[in-house]
Amino acid sequence: MLVVLVFAALIGGAIGFAVVLPKGFLLAVLAAQAGAAVSVGLVVLLTRRR
């Protein structure tokens, strides 16, 4: 489960960073953190429903 959460955070962070990078580096870092949090939250919610 921990490995899945780490990969979800990496993928979500990379997507958030890449999408917002043209607007500025600091904003892209914040978007990466938000993307990682959202993706980990989704994984947790989807796995708890079983």
Side-chain angles (χ1 to χ4, degrees):
M1 178 70 176
L2 182 62
V3 174
V4 174
L5 291 177
V6 169
F7 278 119
L10 287 173
I11 292 170
I15 290 172
F17 186 82
V19 168
V20 184
L21 186 59
K23 295 185 179 184
F25 182 74
L26 182 59
L27 192 60
V29 170
L30 294 175
Q33 290 177 349
V38 167
S39 61
V40 168
L42 285 175
V43 168
V44 169
L45 283 176
L46 291 175
T47 55
R48 296 284 179 184
R49 290 189 170 220
R50 282 198 269 157

